[in-house]
């Protein structure tokens, strides 16, 4: 309830501010004009196809990054030699800002969806990989040795010992990656001009349609909130057996 | 001695192999967009001379430092305010979550309306994007102050600024550092993006300029420099953090018991 009043307060503030001398209505349109612009956007077919483009780029990029991150993480994490070999390379590649790849993406793919995908996959891959590596390191040695002495093969040990241990970490990685993927998808569209919500914001900005620009930014924020909520729900569902979700267990 | 050598060898083997693969793989490359690594490395010192570093990289870094500092101060200050009051937190939490969920780069067009296209715009963009992770992490950190410590403080009559400094900020500092680490990578992204939009100097501006004039090896050298910059800043951050939070990491190690 209190949270709703906070939201209402912000809406009211944005409605009142443009009428005062603090900010001009040209820069910050009052709430009702943003709402009207949002209504126009929703009625426009171009908006929905832009939203669709953004979501497709987000989903495809995230899926590639998650699958690649999990596979690479488990393989690297399970083999000590590989872990020692790759540690320095991962530490080196991870901090490279994904936006450094923007000029390259433009040259290679122009304004096609592949440019967006390149940035999304690069940025979200590291989030997943790092978490999976932490997760694999967290395997209880006693459980692992028990599995070995019961004669479980390599595959069975990955399936029944390693995977359940790593799953909470994997889910954290996926949640982080989902947020990062949205940021990078919108950024790529905004800067490169690949089709999607980002390029629609860029168009609204250059044609001085300030209210529509704010409306679209609100949409990206809502999208971000929705992705966060879905990711949390998926995490709770996948970890429903885990004590962090089940809560306190009486011993 | 041999163990150190072996570890060094392991650490360097893959980077060396990748470097060699890149070098050999592109050695005879006639693909316009993927020039031989040799050409890129030859261009690197020619492109990034001291003059250019001073004219383009330094302004970028100054803007990043200014925006980041503003974000840290504002984020910690607001975070302490929001985190200390239960009611304030309940009112503001959904609003903050919404603002955090907005992808920071879309702030660039908005802030361009208010602040034009000068240095102020870039500093404000960096600050506005970096402040959210710091703010939200500070709120979490302040909320999670150890109850026993808080009660001890109260019974010893520690209040006001010294309570804030010795109890609240101290116990929230690991969380604040985590937020600052996230904010740093957002800051680098925003530094580059704000310069790609509108600028007359800066690292992002220069790289895009190379790309538009099809100076491909120069562009690659810029990408390399940006990567090195990101790496250097994250190493620097980790050094400062391990110094400042030495007590925390030591405590964690002690709690986990002897190393496995």
């Amino acid at each position: 309830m209190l949270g709703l009043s906070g939201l209402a307060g912000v809406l009211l503030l944005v409605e009142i501010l443009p009428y005062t001398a603090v900010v001009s209505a040209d820069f910050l349109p009052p709430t009702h004009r943003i709402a009207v612009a949002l209504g126009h956007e929703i009625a426009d077919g171009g908006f929905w196809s832009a939203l669709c483009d953004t979501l497709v780029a987000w989903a495809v990029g995230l899926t590639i990054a998650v699958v690649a991150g999990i596979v690479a993480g488990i393989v690297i994490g399970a083999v000590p030699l590989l872990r020692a070999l790759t540690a320095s390379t991962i530490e080196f590649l991870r901090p490279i800002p994904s936006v450094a790849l923007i000029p390259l993406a433009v040259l290679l793919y122009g304004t096609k969806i592949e440019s967006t995908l390149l940035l999304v996959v690069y940025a979200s891959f590291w989030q997943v990989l790092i978490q999976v590596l932490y997760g694999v390191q967290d395997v209880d040695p006693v459980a692992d040795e028990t599995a070995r002495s019961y004669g479980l093969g390599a595959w069975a040990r990955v399936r029944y010992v390693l995977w359940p241990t790593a799953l909470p970490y994997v889910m954290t990685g996926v949640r982080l990656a989902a947020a990062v993927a949205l940021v990078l998808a919108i950024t790529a569209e905004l800067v490169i001009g690949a089709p999607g919500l980002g390029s629609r914001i860029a168009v609204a900005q250059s044609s001085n349609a300030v209210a529509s620009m704010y409306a679209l930014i609100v949409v990206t924020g809502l999208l971000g909130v929705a992705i966060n909520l879905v990711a949390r729900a998926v995490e709770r569902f996948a970890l429903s057996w885990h004590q962090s979700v089940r809560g306190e267990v009486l011993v | 001695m041999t163990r150190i050598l072996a570890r060094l060898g392991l650490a360097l083997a893959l980077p060396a192999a990748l470097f060699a693969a890149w070098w050999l793989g592109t050695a005879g490359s006639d693909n316009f967009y993927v020039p031989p690594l040799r050409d890129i490395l030859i261009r690197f010192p020619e492109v990034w001379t001291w003059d250019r570093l001073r004219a383009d990289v330094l302004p970028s870094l100054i803007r990043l430092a200014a925006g980041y500092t503003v974000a840290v101060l504002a984020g910690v200050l607001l975070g302490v305010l929001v985190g200390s009051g239960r009611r304030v937190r309940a009112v503001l939490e959904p609003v903050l979550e919404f603002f955090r969920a907005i992808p920071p780069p879309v702030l660039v067009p908005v802030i361009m309306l208010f602040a034009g296209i000068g240095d102020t715009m870039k500093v404000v963009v960096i600050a506005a994007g970096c402040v959210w992770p710091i703010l939200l992490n500070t709120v979490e950190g302040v909320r999670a102050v150890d109850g026993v410590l808080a009660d001890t403080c109260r019974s010893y009559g520690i209040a006001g600024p010294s309570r804030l400094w010795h109890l609240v900020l101290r116990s929230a500092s690991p969380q604040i550092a985590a937020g600052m680490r996230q904010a740093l990578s957002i800051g680098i992204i925003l530094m580059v993006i704000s310069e790609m939009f509108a600028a007359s100097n800066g690292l992002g501006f220069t790289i895009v300029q190379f790309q538009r004039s099809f100076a491909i090896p120069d562009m690659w050298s810029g990408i390399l420099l940006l990567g090195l910059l990101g790496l250097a800043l994250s190493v620097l951050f980790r050094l400062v953090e391990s110094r400042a939070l030495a007590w925390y990491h030591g405590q964690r190690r002690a709690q986990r018991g002897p190393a496995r």
Side-chain angles (χ1 to χ4, degrees):
Chain A
M1 259 342 267
L2 283 172
L4 283 180
S5 71
L7 282 176
V10 169
L11 292 179
L12 198 65
L13 190 69
V14 175
E15 178 71 33
I16 295 169
L17 267 184
Y19 294 112
T20 63
V22 184
V23 285
S24 150
D26 294 342
F27 296 161
L28 179 68
T31 311
H32 71 267
R33 275 182 47 207
I34 298 180
V36 169
L38 187 61
H40 283 305
E41 286 294 331
I42 290 172
D44 184 354
F47 165 76
W48 291 105
S49 73
L51 184 63
C52 230
D53 282 331
T54 300
L55 283 178
V56 166
W58 171 80
V60 174
L62 184 62
T63 313
I64 297 175
V66 166
V67 171
I70 291 177
V71 171
I74 287 183
V75 170
I76 291 172
V79 184
L81 179 67
L82 271 182
R83 197 158 65 206
L85 270 177
T86 52
S88 60
T89 313
I90 292 174
E91 283 303 304
F92 177 76
L93 289 178
R94 186 166 62 126
I96 293 182
S98 43
V99 283
L101 299 177
I102 285 182
L104 189 64
V106 173
L107 284 180
L108 290 179
Y109 303 115
T111 59
K112 281 184 292 190
I113 191 175
E114 283 92 334
S115 321
T116 314
L117 282 182
L118 178 70
L119 295 179
V120 171
V121 171
Y122 181 84
S124 30
F125 173 72
W126 298 111
Q127 306 283 347
V128 182
L129 180 70
I130 299 294
Q131 289 295 328
V132 176
L133 285 179
Y134 282 140
V136 174
Q137 272 178 14
D138 200 36
V139 167
D140 182 4
V142 176
D144 192 46
E145 275 154 26
T146 313
R148 272 174 204 272
S149 50
Y150 275 100
L152 264 67
W155 173 247
R157 267 183 291 133
V158 167
R159 171 70 189 81
Y160 294 109
V161 179
L162 199 153
W163 181 246
T165 314
L167 194 60
Y169 293 86
V170 173
M171 281 297 145
T172 308
V174 171
R175 185 156 48 77
L176 293 174
V180 167
L182 180 73
V183 171
L184 262 295
I186 306 259
T187 306
E189 293 159 4
L190 187 69
V191 179
I192 301 175
L197 283 177
S199 62
R200 220 172 149 79
I201 292 177
V203 170
Q205 184 228 345
S206 54
S207 58
N208 219 4
V210 178
S212 331
M213 187 180 88
Y214 277 98
L216 288 166
I217 289 173
V218 170
V219 172
T220 60
L222 292 177
L223 207 56
V225 172
I227 284 175
N228 254 333
L229 290 178
V230 170
R232 271 179 206 286
V234 169
E235 189 177 8
R236 258 201 311 279
F237 175 73
L239 296 177
S240 50
W241 51 273
H242 195 267
Q243 56 182 5
S244 70
V245 175
R246 271 193 350 217
E248 290 289 308
V249 183
L250 292 173
V251 182
Chain B
M1 189 62 199
T2 41
R3 275 183 61 192
I4 297 174
L5 274 182
R7 281 181 62 182
L8 201 66
L10 279 176
L12 290 178
L14 188 66
L18 288 176
F19 190 81
W22 188 2
W23 182 283
L24 294 175
T26 59
S29 163
D30 46 9
N31 184 337
F32 181 67
Y33 297 136
V34 189
L37 181 56
R38 210 174 130 249
D39 294 6
I40 300 173
L41 291 183
I42 289 175
R43 286 299 293 161
F44 193 92
E46 294 171 13
V47 173
W48 301 104
T49 55
W50 282 115
D51 286 342
R52 171 144 267 146
L53 288 179
R54 201 175 317 129
D56 283 320
V57 180
L58 196 60
S60 292
L61 286 178
I62 291 175
R63 291 192 284 250
L64 176 64
Y68 189 67
T69 313
V70 171
V72 171
L73 293 179
V76 171
L77 197 72
L78 289 175
V80 170
L81 286 179
V82 175
S84 324
R86 183 188 300 257
R87 188 151 287 224
V88 186
R89 203 167 59 224
V91 171
L92 287 183
E93 205 137 51
V95 177
L96 296 179
E97 284 294 333
F98 174 74
F99 277 107
R100 196 205 16 195
I102 296 179
V106 305
L107 297 172
V108 180
V110 174
I111 291 167
M112 266 166 75
L113 282 175
F114 288 97
I117 57 171
D119 282 347
T120 331
M121 177 277 269
K122 291 167 192 103
V123 173
V124 174
V125 164
I126 294 170
C130 289
V131 78
W132 304 110
I134 302 177
L135 174 59
L136 286 161
N137 274 291
T138 309
V139 171
E140 285 296 309
V142 170
R143 194 166 63 174
V145 167
D146 186 25
V148 176
L149 282 179
D151 290 345
T152 313
C153 261
R154 191 168 313 139
S155 54
Y156 276 94
I158 301 172
S162 66
R163 178 177 186 273
L164 184 70
W165 181 251
H166 291 292
L167 172 71
V168 178
L169 283 181
R170 184 46 81 89
S171 62
S173 55
Q175 287 267 10
I176 297 177
M180 281 170 67
R181 184 158 352 106
Q182 277 178 32
L184 184 62
S185 51
I186 296 178
I188 297 174
I189 291 180
L190 288 175
M191 171 188 95
V192 176
I193 288 190
S194 63
E195 290 167 359
M196 284 180 172
F197 260 87
S200 51
N201 63 3
L203 195 49
F205 169 76
T206 315
I207 294 176
V208 169
Q209 213 56 23
F210 287 146
Q211 175 233 318
R212 292 201 178 130
S213 56
F214 288 96
I216 305 301
D218 300 17
M219 180 198 88
W220 273 98
S221 75
I223 294 179
L224 274 185
L225 182 69
L226 201 49
L228 289 176
L229 196 69
L231 181 71
L233 286 176
S234 91
V235 169
L236 188 70
F237 186 91
R238 203 154 353 137
L239 276 180
V240 174
E241 194 209 353
S242 65
R243 257 296 160 75
L245 292 181
W247 61 272
Y248 171 71
H249 294 301
Q251 195 185 11
R252 281 282 298 267
R253 265 198 298 280
Q255 276 169 359
R256 281 188 182 172
R260 273 187 267 172

